[in-house]
């Protein structure tokens, strides 16, 4: 595929649009909290939510009925205009590119509240061409409305073609913030035989050896392992952030937590919360464990310049484990800044 030259890659795409960001801003985004912005009662709770979640996302796409699409768009504009979000992220999920709503979603939101918007989540991204289109449009609208901080793009990875093109999507533009796995649409697109929104399936299992004829245990496997791994590599190679997406069974908190934790351990930085109970789950999972943080600090302290080899509690440490420790410690410091209860747990103040 033809790619832009390095100099062209970093140029604004419209005269008067802001310079693209060189790095994704350092922000704790443990949960992207979805709300239906056409619902007045939900909008009334936004001031409270701002203090509880890392990111508030006004959803305009799936789950919003066709006859409420305009009300959701207007509700989102009203909600963003009416509140001071401080450090809490302000995102929207717009309708997909071939829908009758997408163009007006972008035009209206950029005009009315583009200066307060951090990220646009774009669903059903198939390839870099989808990112290029939105990238150009956003630059034109930033220029037109005098928006000085670039609005970033977050892609949902939820089609077979999107997964095939995940690396090209990750590097399509300096406007890329990250990506979320969309297990519902992706299952449909791939012809996977599950009706669940994320999580495992009892029939996706490995059977223990027949052995001597005793009972054979079936070990359930993670249906999403392959896709999460592919997404994490594409994102980290491109310097952008990977997220697990939705978990649909609100009655099964333990399974939600297990799915989020697998994603966290594999490299994801957050997940979606679709229900208030999932906010606490995401906070617990996507903040590093206090014991891990304490151990990471011991490694860093034992190797001040990050080289050589030392033994701690019988475990070998070297330049590579120093880097692993640094990942955990840096995340703990970021989380501690945002979340006083975690700062106390980690003893970082
Ligand atoms: C999310 O949008 C999904 O399809 O899972
Ligand atoms: Mg979807």
């Amino acid at each position: 595929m033809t790619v832009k030259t390095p100099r062209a890659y970093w140029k604004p795409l419209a005269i008067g649009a802001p310079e693209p960001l060189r790095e994704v801003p350092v922000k704790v985004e443990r949960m992207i909290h979805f709300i239906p912005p056409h619902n007045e009662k939900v909008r009334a709770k936004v001031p409270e939510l701002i203090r509880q979640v890392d990111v508030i996302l006004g959803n305009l796409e799936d789950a919003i009925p066709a006859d409420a699409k305009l009300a959701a768009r207007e509700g989102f504009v009203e909600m963003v205009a009416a509140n001071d979000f401080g450090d809490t992220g302000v995102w929207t999920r717009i309708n997909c590119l071939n829908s009758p709503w997408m163009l007006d979603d972008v035009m209206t939101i950029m005009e009315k509240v583009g200066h307060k918007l951090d990220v646009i989540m774009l669903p059903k991204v198939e390839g870099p061409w989808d990112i290029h289109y939105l990238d150009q449009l956003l630059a034109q609208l930033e220029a037109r409305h005098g928006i000085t901080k670039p609005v970033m793009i977050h892609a949902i990875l939820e089609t077979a073609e999107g997964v095939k093109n995940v690396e090209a999507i990750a590097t399509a533009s300096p406007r890329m913030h990250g990506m979320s796995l969309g297990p519902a649409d992706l299952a449909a697109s791939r012809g996977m035989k599950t009706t669940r929104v994320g999580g495992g399936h009892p029939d996706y299992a490995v059977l223990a050896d027949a052995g001597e004829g005793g009972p054979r245990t079936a070990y359930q496997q993670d249906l999403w392992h392959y896709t999460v791994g592919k997404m994490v590599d594409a994102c980290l190679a491109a310097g952008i952030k990977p997220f697990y997406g939705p978990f649909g069974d609100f009655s099964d908190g333990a399974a939600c937590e297990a799915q989020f934790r697998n994603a966290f351990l594999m490299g994801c930085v957050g997940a979606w919360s679709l229900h208030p109970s999932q906010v606490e789950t995401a906070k617990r999972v996507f903040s590093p464990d206090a014991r891990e943080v304490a151990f990471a600090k011991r490694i860093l302290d034992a190797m001040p310049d990050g080289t050589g080899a030392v033994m701690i509690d019988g475990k070998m440490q070297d330049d590579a484990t120093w880097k692993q420790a640094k990942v955990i410690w840096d995340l703990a410091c970021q989380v501690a800044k945002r979340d006083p209860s975690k700062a106390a747990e980690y003893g970082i103040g």
Side-chain angles (χ1 to χ4, degrees), residues 93 156 158 182-185 246 272:
R93 176 169 80 166
I156 311 182
E158 56 180 351
D185 270 302
W272 301 2

Side-chain angles (χ1 to χ4, degrees), residues 34 61-62 93 121 123-124 156-158 180-187 196-198 244-247 272 274:
F34 272 54
E61 199 224 12
D62 293 357
R93 176 169 80 166
M121 184 182 273
K124 300 175 179 60
I156 311 182
L157 193 61
E158 56 180 351
S180 290
L181 172 75
D185 270 302
L186 183 54
R196 300 174 177 204
V197 177
Y244 178 80
F247 191 90
W272 301 2
L274 304 181

Side-chain angles (χ1 to χ4, degrees), residues 198-200 220-225 228 244 247 249 252-266 268 271 278 281-282 284-286:
Q220 199 175 316
Q221 310 287 300
D222 183 354
L223 266 180
W224 304 104
H225 182 266
V228 170
Y244 178 80
F247 191 90
D249 186 352
D252 195 349
C256 176
E257 182 151 348
Q259 179 78 77
F260 282 9
R261 186 159 286 116
N262 286 351
F264 175 68
L265 289 170
M266 283 189 73
C268 290
Q278 296 180 337
T281 306
R284 198 158 52 242
V285 172
F286 292 100

Side-chain angles (χ1 to χ4, degrees), residues 66-327:
D67 63 4
K69 291 286 187 189
L70 301 193
R73 186 192 296 151
E74 282 160 18
F76 179 71
V77 166
E78 189 188 309
M79 164 199 128
V80 175
N83 288 285
D84 178 356
F85 289 83
D87 281 344
T88 303
V90 182
W91 297 27
T92 182
R93 176 169 80 166
I94 58 172
N95 287 285
C96 63
L97 287 161
N98 63 2
S99 75
W101 305 290
M102 181 271 178
L103 183 60
D104 289 321
D105 288 346
V106 179
M107 299 279 284
T108 305
I109 287 169
M110 289 298 283
E111 178 186 350
K112 301 275 170 56
V113 289
H115 59 288
K116 285 177 91 172
L117 188 67
D118 293 303
V119 175
I120 289 182
M121 184 182 273
L122 183 64
K124 300 175 179 60
V125 173
E126 304 269 23
W129 49 87
D130 290 340
I131 305 298
H132 294 158
Y133 169 73
L134 182 57
D135 193 10
Q136 183 75 60
L137 181 59
L138 288 176
Q140 290 171 323
L141 294 170
E142 284 164 352
R144 171 177 291 179
H145 301 301
I147 294 167
T148 52
K149 185 184 81 160
V151 171
M152 305 202 80
I153 300 174
H154 182 103
I156 311 182
L157 193 61
E158 56 180 351
T159 67
E161 186 163 11
V163 175
K164 178 168 82 61
N165 293 319
V166 66
E167 292 170 19
I169 293 168
T171 54
S173 157
R175 214 184 267 283
M176 284 300 293
H177 161 278
M179 237 180 259
S180 290
L181 172 75
D185 270 302
L186 183 54
S189 165
R190 278 177 172 164
M192 291 169 73
K193 310 304 181 292
T194 171
T195 53
R196 300 174 177 204
V197 177
H201 192 290
D203 295 341
Y204 191 72
V206 173
L207 202 57
D209 271 3
E212 299 303 311
R216 297 174 68 182
T217 313
Y219 295 98
Q220 199 175 316
Q221 310 287 300
D222 183 354
L223 266 180
W224 304 104
H225 182 266
Y226 153 75
T227 317
V228 170
K230 194 165 165 151
M231 177 180 76
V232 166
D233 281 342
C235 287
L236 273 291
I240 67 172
K241 298 169 79 170
F243 293 70
Y244 178 80
F247 191 90
D249 186 352
F250 304 152
S251 71
D252 195 349
C256 176
E257 182 151 348
Q259 179 78 77
F260 282 9
R261 186 159 286 116
N262 286 351
F264 175 68
L265 289 170
M266 283 189 73
C268 290
V269 298
W272 301 2
S273 48
L274 304 181
H275 185 270
S277 67
Q278 296 180 337
V279 172
E280 284 313 309
T281 306
K283 270 191 196 168
R284 198 158 52 242
V285 172
F286 292 100
S287 310
D289 181 83
R291 283 162 308 182
E292 285 278 65
V293 174
F295 192 65
K297 183 73 168 58
R298 283 177 68 198
I299 298 173
L300 297 179
D301 287 347
M303 298 173 64
D305 70 353
T307 68
V310 296
M311 295 298 290
I312 301 180
D313 297 346
K315 299 183 187 79
M316 188 277 302
Q317 311 298 333
D318 68 0
D319 307 43
T321 58
W322 185 91
K323 287 177 197 153
Q324 289 174 273
K326 185 96 166 59
V327 167

